[in-house]
Amino acid sequence: MSLFADPCSQRSAHTFPPFVNGWTLLATLLVGALTLAAPAAQAQVSYDAQYRPQADYRFVDTGRFEWIYPAGADTTTALFQGAIQRSYRGTRSIVGTDTEGFELPIVVDPVSDQANGYVDPVNFRSHLFPAHPTFSFGAKYDTWAQTVAPHELTHAMHFEMDSGVGVGGLAGLFSEDLSRALHNFQPAGWIEGVAVYRESQLGPEAGRLDAPLRVMKYRAALGSDDPWSVGEVMYSGVFERPSRRHYLGGGQLVEHMAEKRGDTGFIRRATRWNHRLPFLGFGMAMWMGTGQTPAQLSDSFLEEERREEQRRLDSLRQAAEQGLTDPAVAAGTEGLHVRRPYWLSDSTLVAYASGYATRPGFYRIDAHGGERTVISHQALTRGRTYAMGPDTTALYFARPHPDLLVRRGTTLKTHRLDLRTGEARLASETTGAFTPAKAPGGPVWAARRDGSFSELVALDDEEATPQASRPGLRYRQVAASPHGDTIAVLANAGGKQGLYRFDPASSTLEPWLRFEDGTIYDVSWGPKGRYLLVAADPSGIANVYALDRREGDVRRLTTVRYGALEPALSPNRERVAFARYQHERFELATIPFRPESQRPVADLERDWAPSGSVLAASAGSGTSQSSVGRSPSTAAGTPPDGPRSGIDLASLRAQSRRYEAWRHLVPRSAAPVLRNVGDLLGSSVNGENLGLGPGVRISGTDPLGRWAYNARGFYQADRLWGDVSAETGLLPGTPSLTVFNGPVEAVRETGAGTSRLEAFELRGVRLGADQRFVFQRNVYTTSLTAGLAGGYRQSRPITTGGEAEGDFTGRAALRSNLTFNYRVQKNIRDLVPNTGLRMSTSAEADVLTPSGATPSRYLKQRVDVFWPLLSEHNVGLRTSASFLTQSRRSFFDVQSFVPRGYRPLDGALPGAGNYLRLGAKVTQPLWYVDTGSVMLPVAVDALYGYGLGQAQYRVGSGDGPALGRRRASVGGGLGLRFRPFGGMSLNLEIGVSYRIDARGENRWVPHLR
C-alpha cells in the first residue's frame, strides 16, 4: 500500500475532540469506574488444567521470557528465541507497552500440525506451534519462526498494556490476568490489525500487508460494489469470505492511521481508553485515541483506499501489453472456491471446491458448462495441495487427523482417493507427511515436517524413507513428471521460494528455477513433460507462467487484477485451467495455451548455489532484514530491531532443565467475591436471609496446565466458609477434586401455601472428570463429550447466625452428561447443521440416602436429527425428540422442556413423572448482515425467519402417551444472530405461538427467547 498521506494532515501531537476538556474526561472516568466497580470486583478468573501427552519438557529462563519446550525441539526453540529478541524493542515501541517488568512464558507446543500461535491473557502465556504451514504464508521470511513469533509477541504486549485508573486498573489490583482479559473487549480487527501492522515492519515485502496472496483479497473487496466498511474489518467474517478479513482490513486500517499521523501513539491511547471503560464499546476509545469519530475515520479510510486501488488498476491496464486476461469462467459464483484444478480429459476437470452452500470436497467439473458432480467429501491441508495419479484414476492428498483425546491435537496423514468409487484410504501409515505425488512406476513422493523445516521422503505402506538430505528447507509442493524421471519440488530457503529438481536415480536435489523478485506458489507438469506451469508474483500479483524445458525460457500467460493460481495444462495442450481470485470467490477459469505469443521473462535465477545453514544465516541476514523496515516513515521514532541476542543453540541446551510444574503454581489471581449480592436489591421471600458474604478467591495454574487450583473463602452468617478444588492434566479427562462447606438458601412452601426462605449448611466432597473424544473431523464431525461426577454431601438446617438447628443428613450421588455428534456438518452459511445426528443425555441419581428418604433421580435425553432438504438454500431443518423423568417437580431447570407459548404457565411445567416432547423447527436465513458496530460493542451476523411446532406429553406407566395431557403449539418469528464484543454467537428470537391445547388461556401469545 503506497504512502499517500498528505504531510499537512499529519499530527505532531494528539488532540481530543473539541468539547472534551480535562474535567469532562475526569468525570466520565470516575462515573464509569464507579458504575462498573461492582462487576469488576465480582469478576472471577478460573483456571483449568489441560491434558496433553506426557513428554520431557525443558525449561529455560532468559530474563523476560521463560521458554518451555519438548526435548528435541532445541533448534526450533532457538529460532523462536532469536526472532523474539530481535523484534522486542521495535514491537514495544509500536504497541506502546510501558511495563518495564514485562515477562512472558512461551510454550513451544508440538501438539498440533496446524501452523499457528496464540496468546492467552488468562494464565498469561504464548503458544507457538513449530510446524511450518503447508501454504505459502511467510514465504519471504527466512524462517517460520520469524513469521509467527513477532506477531504473537505483539499480542502479548498489547494484552500487557495497563491503563492505570479505570475498570482495567481496578481489576489489575486483584488479578493481572483479569486485567489482561479485559483487552479482549477490543474488536478482533483492532487486536489483529496491530499485530499485522507490526509483522509487516519486520522485513521488506514480508508481512500480510505486502504478501500478494493476502493483499489480493483486500484489493478485490475495495474494487467490488460492496467494499468493506470499518465495522466489517473490525470483526471476523462468519458468513462471508474471507473469514479472516479482520487480519487484512485491520492491518490496512492501522497502517492508514499510522501514515496519517506519522507515529503509532494512537494505538496506545485507544487501547488504554478501552481498558479504562471496556463495556462502553470501542468507538469511544477510538475517538479518544485518534481524535476522529468512527464515522470520520471510516469515510477518510475508505475514500483514500478506494482511490488508491483505482490508481493501481489504471496503472495495471496501461502496463498490460496485451490487455488484462479475460478468461472463460467455467465455475464462479459468490462464495464458491474452486481450487487446484486438474484435467481428467480435454473437457472434464477435477478440483477441490467449497462454498456458502457447497459441501467441501473433490468434484468433477465440466470445462464448458461448469456442472459439478461430487466425487468425495474430504478435508484437505490449507495449502490445497494434492496431485493427480499418473493414470488419472486416483488423487493423492493429505489431511489433518484429530487426536482422540488432546484438544487442538492433529496429525497429518496421506491418502489415495479412487476417482471411480470415491473411496479414500491411507497411502501410508507414516505421520507428518503432506503434498504426496505418485510417480509412474515409482513410489509416492511427499514432504514431511521436521520441526520448522521439511524433508523429502518416499512413502510406502508403513513408513517414510528420507531422500536427498538438504537441511533448512520448507517444502511447499511435490510434483512428479509424467515419465517419473524428474520430481519438481517447490521449496523455500531463507525467504526465497523456488523450484528444485530431484533425480530419483541419483537421489540428488538441486536448485532449478526461481524469480529474482518474486515467489513461486504452485507447480504442475504438462501432459508430455515439456512444459512446467507455475504461479508466481514477480509483478506483485500472482500470475501464470510456463517453463519450456526444451527451449529453456519462461513466458507469462496471464495478466489479472488480483491473482491467478494453480495452473494446469489440458491433455491436448490447447487450454490452461487455473483458479482466478475475484471478491469472495476463486473462479475456475480457462484460457488458450499460446506461450509463443508472449515475450520470455528475463529476471530469473537458475541453478543457484545453495546457501548455508538457515539457523546460522538467520543470525545475520535476519538482522539486516528486520533493520530495513517496511515503511520507515510510517513508524517515526520507532527504534530499529536489535541484532540476534540472548542464547544460541548450544547455550540453550546447556541452560535447560526439566520442567517442574510446582515451581509455577504461585497464585495468579486473588479476586474479591460477594455472596448474595442480589440481596442489595431486596428479597421478595421472607425467612432466613443469610445476608451478604464478602470473601476472596485465590486461583492459579502452571503454563502447561498440568495442575490448576481454585480456593474460595468468605464470611457469612457469622462464620467463615469456603471451598477448594484441584484439577490435573496429567491424565485424560483432567480429573478434579472439590471439597466444600458453605451455607445455602432454599425456598420451601409452607402448609399455608406461602413460600419461606430457609437456610442450610452444605458440606461434602466431589470427584469429576470431563473428556471430549473426537473420532472424526473430515468435513463431517463425529465426537463424544462426556462428563462424570460423583460426590457425597451432608446438609443440615441452620439459623441466620450459622447455628445448627438439626443433625446432618448425607447423600451420595452420581451425575453424568453426554453429548454425541454423529456425522454433523455445516456449510459456511448454514445457521444449523444440514445433516447429522446429535444425542445428549443428562442424569443424576442418589446412590446413598438417609434411611426413610426417597432417592432423588432425574434423566433428560434429547435426540436431534438434521435433514439436508433444501440445503442448497441454507435452509435448516431439525426434528427432535426429548424424554424427561424426574422424582420430584422442577428437579432441574425444566423451562427449556416446555413448548413455546406455555412457559409462563405453571400448569405446563413438568412435575414428578415421565414426559415426552416432540418438535420440529425450520430456519431460513433472510439477510447475512455480517458486520459490526464500532460505537456499540456488538457484531451482527444474520437475520433469519423460523417456524416450529412442539408437543409435550405425560407418559404413563406402560400406557403410552396420554394425549389428554398434551401441551402443543406452533409458531414462528424472526431471529437475530449476533456476537456481543465479537465473541460467542447468541440467538435472539421474537415470535408468536399458537397454543393448540389452550385451557382457558389466550391461544395466541408472543414469545421471546
Side-chain angles (χ1 to χ4, degrees), residues 302-629:
L302 288 177
E303 180 182 351
E304 294 194 28
E305 292 292 275
R306 297 204 75 179
R307 186 166 57 243
E308 176 66 17
E309 175 60 14
Q310 189 58 53
R311 285 199 297 264
R312 186 192 70 85
L313 291 176
D314 292 341
S315 176
L316 182 63
R317 293 188 189 96
Q318 295 173 5
E321 295 181 356
Q322 300 185 12
L324 297 179
T325 301
D326 185 19
V329 177
T333 58
E334 183 184 48
L336 180 65
H337 282 196
V338 182
R339 303 296 303 273
R340 201 166 296 280
Y342 286 99
W343 294 87
L344 293 173
S345 67
D346 293 330
S347 60
T348 307
L349 300 107
V350 61
Y352 190 83
S354 64
Y356 289 157
T358 301
R359 191 170 294 160
F362 294 100
Y363 289 80
R364 190 176 284 106
I365 304 176
D366 183 83
H368 304 292
E371 292 82 6
R372 300 192 308 271
T373 56
V374 64
I375 299 172
S376 181
H377 295 297
Q378 298 287 336
L380 201 59
T381 55
R382 284 189 62 187
R384 303 293 186 263
T385 51
Y386 66 96
M388 179 75 71
D391 58 0
T392 69
T393 63
L395 296 178
Y396 293 82
F397 68 97
R399 67 173 177 86
H401 286 241
D403 190 282
L404 179 65
L405 301 175
V406 179
R407 184 162 56 99
R408 295 193 181 96
T410 58
T411 301
L412 288 178
K413 291 186 178 181
T414 55
H415 297 260
R416 179 186 184 275
L417 173 65
D418 190 315
L419 293 178
R420 291 169 295 189
T421 65
E423 295 181 359
R425 62 172 178 81
L426 286 176
S428 175
E429 293 290 342
T430 191
T431 61
F434 62 101
T435 185
K438 180 74 167 66
V444 175
W445 303 98
R448 183 174 65 180
R449 284 169 168 160
D450 181 16
S452 291
F453 302 102
S454 319
E455 59 182 352
L456 184 67
V457 295
L459 300 178
D460 59 27
D461 292 342
E462 300 294 333
E463 58 184 9
T465 305
Q467 307 285 321
S469 175
R470 189 179 288 277
L473 292 182
R474 288 173 282 159
Y475 290 97
R476 172 72 172 81
Q477 188 183 353
V478 176
S481 69
H483 304 295
D485 57 342
T486 303
I487 309 299
V489 180
L490 181 58
N492 191 297
K496 296 286 287 184
Q497 187 160 293
L499 288 179
Y500 290 73
R501 183 169 37 202
F502 175 71
D503 183 359
S506 61
S507 295
T508 56
L509 180 69
E510 301 296 338
W512 189 0
L513 176 75
R514 68 186 182 190
F515 290 82
E516 291 182 358
D517 297 315
T519 296
I520 298 177
Y521 297 107
D522 307 290
V523 58
S524 69
W525 290 88
K528 303 297 183 182
R530 173 180 173 180
Y531 291 100
L532 205 66
L533 270 60
V534 301
D537 66 356
S539 65
I541 301 172
N543 275 289
V544 176
Y545 295 78
L547 165 65
D548 187 336
R549 295 181 67 203
R550 186 172 67 187
E551 302 297 332
D553 55 22
V554 175
R555 297 174 187 265
R556 177 168 164 172
L557 304 183
T558 65
T559 301
V560 297
R561 292 178 176 85
Y562 306 113
L565 298 165
E566 302 154 0
L569 184 59
S570 64
N572 60 12
R573 297 197 303 189
E574 292 184 0
R575 298 195 70 80
V576 175
F578 60 93
R580 181 180 73 159
Y581 187 78
Q582 298 285 81
H583 182 44
E584 295 188 53
R585 70 194 72 181
F586 273 100
E587 300 173 334
L588 174 58
T590 64
I591 58 172
F593 181 58
R594 297 169 183 165
E596 68 283 350
S597 65
Q598 304 289 339
R599 290 186 300 176
V601 177
D603 299 331
L604 300 171
E605 293 182 76
R606 303 175 188 266
D607 306 326
W608 62 93
S611 59
S613 167
V614 172
L615 182 58
S618 179
S621 63
T623 302
S624 61
Q625 273 198 8
S626 51
S627 298
V628 172

Side-chain angles (χ1 to χ4, degrees), residues 46 78 114 262 473 493 495 544 567 691 810 848 976:
S46 181
Q114 301 295 315
L473 292 182
V544 176
L848 177 65
L976 187 70

Side-chain angles (χ1 to χ4, degrees), residues 875-897:
V875 175
L877 177 59
R878 179 184 66 197
T879 57
S880 61
S882 302
F883 177 76
L884 168 67
T885 179
Q886 55 185 4
S887 60
R888 65 177 187 268
R889 179 182 180 87
S890 301
F891 190 90
F892 75 115
D893 179 18
V894 295
Q895 287 285 339
S896 61
F897 197 84

Side-chain angles (χ1 to χ4, degrees), residues 18 75 102 135 208 333 522 570 670 791 799 802:
T75 301
F102 175 80
F135 53 104
R208 286 179 178 87
T333 58
D522 307 290
S570 64
T799 67

Side-chain angles (χ1 to χ4, degrees), residues 912-985:
N914 305 322
Y915 295 86
L916 174 69
R917 194 190 75 174
L918 303 176
K921 183 177 181 181
V922 60
T923 304
Q924 173 62 63
L926 302 175
W927 179 22
Y928 294 104
V929 186
D930 216 350
T931 189
S933 170
V934 181
M935 289 302 298
L936 300 177
V938 64
V940 180
D941 297 329
L943 177 70
Y944 61 92
Y946 66 91
L948 53 82
Q950 296 174 330
Q952 173 188 303
Y953 301 91
R954 174 70 181 265
V955 181
S957 56
D959 297 330
L963 298 181
R965 304 288 299 274
R966 186 185 69 178
R967 292 281 189 171
S969 67
V970 294
L974 294 176
L976 187 70
R977 178 165 294 186
F978 62 100
R979 288 172 288 155
F981 298 97
M984 181 182 298
S985 293

Side-chain angles (χ1 to χ4, degrees), residues 133-427:
T134 59
F135 53 104
S136 289
F137 175 58
K140 295 183 184 296
Y141 285 104
D142 284 358
T143 64
W144 169 238
Q146 289 182 348
T147 310
V148 66
H151 183 103
E152 302 307 328
L153 176 63
T154 304
H155 286 324
M157 289 190 166
H158 201 153
F159 287 139
E160 188 72 351
M161 198 176 298
D162 188 359
S163 62
V165 180
V167 175
L170 177 63
L173 296 176
F174 309 101
S175 170
E176 292 184 358
D177 281 353
L178 176 58
S179 177
R180 297 185 187 103
L182 291 176
H183 284 295
N184 274 331
F185 284 93
Q186 300 172 63
W190 179 258
I191 296 173
E192 295 295 348
V194 172
V196 167
Y197 174 77
R198 171 53 182 151
E199 78 183 23
S200 301
Q201 303 291 318
L202 293 171
E205 302 181 358
R208 286 179 178 87
L209 295 183
D210 281 311
L213 300 194
R214 300 297 179 272
V215 174
M216 73 178 183
K217 298 178 181 180
Y218 176 72
R219 289 172 173 170
L222 281 177
S224 71
D225 295 332
D226 185 23
W228 293 336
S229 66
V230 170
E232 287 176 294
V233 303
M234 281 294 180
Y235 297 92
S236 61
V238 175
F239 299 114
E240 180 180 287
R241 281 179 149 171
S243 61
R244 295 195 172 193
R245 68 188 181 200
H246 57 298
Y247 282 79
L248 312 173
Q252 298 285 351
L253 177 63
V254 172
E255 184 182 56
H256 167 81
M257 291 188 285
E259 290 174 349
K260 297 291 288 184
R261 289 158 179 78
D263 61 40
T264 58
F266 64 91
I267 297 175
R268 178 174 61 255
R269 292 191 294 269
T271 300
R272 284 178 170 172
W273 272 107
N274 186 259
H275 196 235
R276 289 169 182 145
L277 299 171
F279 306 110
L280 298 186
F282 193 69
M284 183 278 294
M286 181 176 285
W287 192 351
M288 295 298 180
T290 64
Q292 288 181 286
T293 66
Q296 293 171 335
L297 182 60
S298 180
D299 290 343
S300 65
F301 172 61
L302 288 177
E303 180 182 351
E304 294 194 28
E305 292 292 275
R306 297 204 75 179
R307 186 166 57 243
E308 176 66 17
E309 175 60 14
Q310 189 58 53
R311 285 199 297 264
R312 186 192 70 85
L313 291 176
D314 292 341
S315 176
L316 182 63
R317 293 188 189 96
Q318 295 173 5
E321 295 181 356
Q322 300 185 12
L324 297 179
T325 301
D326 185 19
V329 177
T333 58
E334 183 184 48
L336 180 65
H337 282 196
V338 182
R339 303 296 303 273
R340 201 166 296 280
Y342 286 99
W343 294 87
L344 293 173
S345 67
D346 293 330
S347 60
T348 307
L349 300 107
V350 61
Y352 190 83
S354 64
Y356 289 157
T358 301
R359 191 170 294 160
F362 294 100
Y363 289 80
R364 190 176 284 106
I365 304 176
D366 183 83
H368 304 292
E371 292 82 6
R372 300 192 308 271
T373 56
V374 64
I375 299 172
S376 181
H377 295 297
Q378 298 287 336
L380 201 59
T381 55
R382 284 189 62 187
R384 303 293 186 263
T385 51
Y386 66 96
M388 179 75 71
D391 58 0
T392 69
T393 63
L395 296 178
Y396 293 82
F397 68 97
R399 67 173 177 86
H401 286 241
D403 190 282
L404 179 65
L405 301 175
V406 179
R407 184 162 56 99
R408 295 193 181 96
T410 58
T411 301
L412 288 178
K413 291 186 178 181
T414 55
H415 297 260
R416 179 186 184 275
L417 173 65
D418 190 315
L419 293 178
R420 291 169 295 189
T421 65
E423 295 181 359
R425 62 172 178 81
L426 286 176

Side-chain angles (χ1 to χ4, degrees), residues 790-847:
Y792 178 76
R793 64 186 185 274
Q794 291 180 329
S795 63
R796 66 180 178 182
I798 60 173
T799 67
T800 55
E803 297 178 356
E805 292 185 321
D807 296 329
F808 279 109
T809 59
R811 291 176 181 266
L814 290 176
R815 181 184 181 92
S816 67
N817 292 282
L818 300 173
T819 300
F820 179 65
N821 292 293
Y822 177 72
R823 291 183 63 80
V824 174
Q825 196 270 330
K826 285 176 63 176
N827 292 321
I828 296 172
R829 284 193 166 176
D830 289 339
L831 296 178
V832 297
N834 62 63
T835 188
L837 173 72
R838 177 175 297 152
M839 297 185 294
S840 60
T841 300
S842 178
E844 181 174 323
D846 284 344
V847 294

